[in-house]
Amino acid sequence: MPSRHTQDSSADHYAALHQGFGWVVPEHFNIAQACCGRWASDAQGAQRIAVREHVAGQGLGRSWSFAQLQDAANRLSRVLDAQGVRPGERVAIVLPQRWETAVAYMAVLQMGAVAMPLSMLFGPEALAFRIQDSQAAVAIADESAWAALQQARAHCPGLRTVIGVGEAASEGELDFAAALRRQPPVFEPLRTRADDPAVLIYTSGTTGNPKGALIPHRALVGNLTGFVCSQNWFGFDPQRAGSDSQAVFWSPADWAWTGGLMDALLPSLYFGRPIVAFNGRFSPELAFEILQSHAVSHTFLFPTALKAMMKAVPQPRTRYRLALQAIMSAGEAVGDAVFAWCRDQLGVTVNEMFGQTEINYVVGNCARFWPPKPGSMGKGYPGHRVAVIDEAGQLCPPGTPGEVAVNRLDVHGHPDPVFFLGYWNNAEATRNKYTGDWCRTGDVAVCDEDGYLWYQGRTDDMFKAAGYRIGPGEIENCLVKHAAVQNAAVVPKPDAERGALVKAYVVFSPDALAARQAAANAQAYEDGVREALQAHVRGLLAPYEYPKEIEFIDQLPMTTTGKVQRRVLRQQEEARAAARR
């Protein structure tokens, strides 16, 4: 990264950062050693807090140091070794945000095995497919996923051992805590190469079975420029007294996903900063409780979460004492309404970021070093060469929609370490991911004259209505600006004459929901809001973009990573159209 000298936040240092940056990737590198081992081996670093527990309604629970994290990881590595886990073998980690989850990652990675995070929200079928496809040897799980895992196990003959955590401790072949107590806290970590596999994360594709993206140890190095930039230097700001010691990170992102693991847990530990762990459901009020009680300085919040917080607590600083210095957001387009709320009400310019499991943390903003444009995804982070390309792999002119792609080589012609190794046992899918040296993301954007990218949607979310190409993001952002809307999703509704109509699914804001419940005629209230929303969009966007039909629903279908599943709504519309024929 560039030097830590003070920069003028109003100036644009983007070009200098890009040209002056070069990757330094050692031949041997291990994520666990970088995130824990090196801190634990230093007398002062060993006492730093690594993980802080949040207890709902109470605030700070237990805290664990890097020394304690390394101690527990060493013991668990010995347990796994005794179970026959060898370098390269997969270990399933089916745990929420909790202390044992951090221990599990450090233990698996330092022994050269491959950590396979699985969401506690997965059902038996989803768990069975991933465990069987990866041929995982051992699984570590707590009560949140225990029943589903036991059902899945019948279809996973290669799964030798299940280790129970928390309330599930007595249910598995091994009790996590008891097994650790029986082992000495000494383990010799494997000296892994930077290109060795570290993590296997299954991506949720829009069609077919999910694909396992195999991530090497070096990918953490590739993540670091994006993390530091999106977090406005993450505690290294010389203008803030004591910033090095006071930085605290929290995100509701599940540590079983790239957003929680590679964007939150691992980089926080890499920089020797505490991360807050909370095992519970997200709510806007809870988010503010965590931010206040832990004096959280840096955070990663999905646009969905920010929208809910904006609608539930429009003026948060009148109710909460906040210490926020930086907010990163990703997963969907933030939109200028949320951008303005974060700036005006939270006092922080949100840094929007874009990436994928396969090539994470490649595009974004950094309010400290280059001026963000509200609603823009930003530009390629230092070390990443990003462009918008057409179907033939040629660069699109500014203003022309195309697919976001990342080149294997940086601006200096050196390999970018952020890239995944390939899809697990799927060479064809790996080949199809690339056009020459360009790795395609499947996301559509427009690049403006200044190099900023503007998200249009997934390639399979784009549609044509009456001959016009429609991107749902702009319409959804417009709808959310209305006081009656908490969230919205736009999809095509099949139409015999026009091919498709623009349809919006809308979730009422808390105030609008209360007004509907209090209305003498709920249907009349909905009709009035529907007309108001259509007029609202017509007044701000092109005439062909306003939703011809609006359906109110209690909640949108979401992935476990906080993304709207437009595919589910699109398929619903297609099924309804088929039934009308």
Side-chain angles (χ1 to χ4, degrees):
M1 290 300 296
S3 62
R4 286 167 48 181
H5 61 278
T6 302
Q7 298 277 15
D8 177 3
S9 61
S10 64
D12 188 346
H13 302 277
Y14 182 80
L17 285 173
H18 235 301
Q19 290 299 323
F21 179 82
W23 292 110
V24 178
V25 183
E27 180 182 358
H28 292 89
F29 180 77
N30 183 276
I31 291 176
Q33 173 61 23
C35 291
C36 184
R38 67 187 176 103
W39 295 112
S41 64
D42 174 76
Q44 186 174 4
Q47 302 309 310
R48 284 178 178 246
I49 298 300
V51 179
R52 302 171 61 169
E53 176 189 38
H54 180 78
V55 180
Q58 299 180 27
L60 179 64
R62 293 186 61 188
S63 294
W64 295 269
S65 68
F66 280 94
Q68 290 172 309
L69 179 57
Q70 188 63 51
D71 179 295
N74 287 344
R75 294 172 188 268
L76 181 56
S77 290
R78 295 180 70 94
V79 171
L80 295 173
D81 181 72
Q83 294 301 310
V85 174
R86 297 296 175 257
E89 202 159 19
R90 280 71 59 205
V91 176
I93 300 174
V94 201
L95 294 169
Q97 288 189 9
R98 59 184 300 161
W99 154 248
E100 292 87 351
T101 312
V103 173
Y105 282 120
M106 296 303 106
V108 172
L109 295 172
Q110 74 172 353
M111 62 191 303
V114 176
M116 187 175 70
L118 296 174
S119 173
M120 61 178 180
L121 300 178
F122 282 151
E125 185 174 325
L127 289 173
F129 172 79
R130 291 159 174 80
I131 292 172
Q132 184 62 14
D133 185 66
S134 67
Q135 288 296 291
V138 175
I140 306 172
D142 71 357
E143 63 278 2
S144 63
W146 195 258
L149 181 60
Q150 292 309 302
Q151 292 180 56
R153 195 172 186 184
H155 305 284
C156 305
L159 185 59
R160 301 193 298 265
T161 307
V162 177
I163 302 175
V165 176
E167 295 177 17
S170 61
E171 302 295 329
E173 282 80 13
L174 290 175
D175 174 327
F176 184 95
L180 265 61
R181 285 194 297 269
R182 291 193 291 267
Q183 297 290 340
V186 180
F187 182 81
E188 185 65 31
L190 187 70
R191 191 165 181 255
T192 56
R193 298 175 66 87
D195 278 326
D196 284 346
V199 181
L200 180 62
I201 302 183
Y202 279 80
T203 63
S204 51
T206 55
T207 59
N209 287 322
K211 300 185 293 290
L214 192 59
I215 312 298
H217 285 272
R218 61 168 161 76
L220 178 62
V221 177
N223 273 336
L224 294 179
T225 58
F227 180 80
V228 173
C229 285
S230 69
Q231 294 299 327
N232 286 350
W233 231 224
F234 193 52
F236 299 119
D237 189 342
Q239 293 179 322
R240 291 181 181 271
S243 61
D244 278 0
S245 61
Q246 294 177 1
V248 177
F249 194 92
W250 170 71
S251 172
D254 189 347
W255 294 351
W257 293 103
T258 304
L261 180 62
M262 303 298 287
D263 299 351
L265 176 64
L266 295 182
S268 294
L269 297 179
Y270 176 88
F271 286 114
R273 306 296 194 268
I275 186 168
V276 178
F278 173 69
N279 180 11
R281 290 180 61 84
F282 174 88
S283 73
E285 292 76 11
L286 175 67
F288 282 116
E289 175 188 309
I290 293 174
L291 293 174
Q292 176 177 265
S293 58
H294 294 270
V296 171
S297 58
H298 298 75
T299 185
F300 167 26
L301 291 164
F302 295 122
T304 304
L306 288 170
K307 289 174 187 175
M309 293 166 70
M310 176 178 70
K311 296 295 182 175
V313 188
Q315 297 179 310
R317 285 189 289 183
T318 63
R319 291 174 52 183
Y320 300 97
R321 297 184 308 277
L322 301 177
L324 281 173
Q325 297 177 25
I327 299 174
M328 186 269 280
S329 191
E332 295 280 340
V334 169
D336 54 2
V338 173
F339 184 96
W341 178 75
C342 291
R343 179 196 61 210
D344 300 339
Q345 300 301 328
L346 297 180
V348 175
T349 299
V350 64
N351 286 322
E352 188 163 1
M353 185 279 287
F354 167 83
Q356 295 189 308
T357 298
E358 299 91 336
I359 39 174
N360 187 46
Y361 250 139
V362 290
V363 174
N365 283 296
C366 178
R368 182 182 171 124
F369 290 107
W370 62 88
K373 293 185 179 182
S376 164
M377 296 161 60
K379 300 193 272 190
Y381 282 127
H384 307 303
R385 187 148 62 100
V386 183
V388 173
I389 63 174
D390 60 20
E391 292 183 1
Q394 300 301 307
L395 271 62
C396 294
T400 302
E403 189 171 352
V404 180
V406 186
N407 202 281
R408 292 180 187 268
L409 305 176
D410 67 10
V411 294
H412 306 294
H414 301 144
D416 185 338
V418 81
F419 281 79
F420 75 134
L421 295 171
Y423 292 116
W424 181 257
N425 290 337
N426 197 333
E428 181 181 5
T430 304
R431 285 193 300 271
N432 293 339
K433 185 73 172 171
Y434 292 88
T435 297
D437 283 333
W438 290 105
C439 185
R440 293 181 171 274
T441 65
D443 289 276
V444 178
V446 169
C447 183
D448 67 18
E449 295 283 353
D450 299 321
Y452 288 81
L453 300 182
W454 299 83
Y455 187 73
Q456 304 292 298
R458 292 288 297 173
T459 53
D460 47 10
D461 282 337
M462 307 294 288
F463 63 94
K464 281 191 174 182
Y468 294 99
R469 187 171 173 82
I470 304 293
E474 185 177 35
I475 304 172
E476 293 164 358
N477 176 53
C478 185
L479 286 166
V480 169
K481 292 178 182 178
H482 195 282
V485 179
Q486 175 160 307
N487 209 349
V490 170
V491 296
K493 177 181 178 179
D495 181 80
E497 294 182 6
R498 306 181 191 183
L501 298 177
V502 178
K503 177 168 181 177
Y505 283 85
V506 168
V507 178
F508 277 121
S509 67
D511 288 346
L513 183 62
R516 184 182 66 170
Q517 292 171 342
N521 187 324
Q523 185 60 55
Y525 177 82
E526 288 188 6
D527 291 342
V529 173
R530 185 176 291 108
E531 292 178 6
L533 292 178
Q534 290 173 325
H536 171 73
V537 176
R538 275 199 303 267
L540 295 175
L541 301 181
Y544 59 83
E545 290 183 290
Y546 91 90
K548 307 298 187 296
E549 185 173 314
I550 296 176
E551 182 173 335
F552 297 107
I553 56 176
D554 293 335
Q555 59 183 22
L556 298 175
M558 310 288 288
T559 68
T560 53
T561 58
K563 297 179 182 179
V564 177
Q565 291 182 304
R566 297 184 189 87
R567 172 176 53 88
V568 174
L569 300 174
R570 189 170 62 246
Q571 291 173 344
Q572 177 175 288
E573 289 302 320
E574 291 168 355
R576 288 175 176 176
R580 289 193 294 267
R581 296 193 189 109

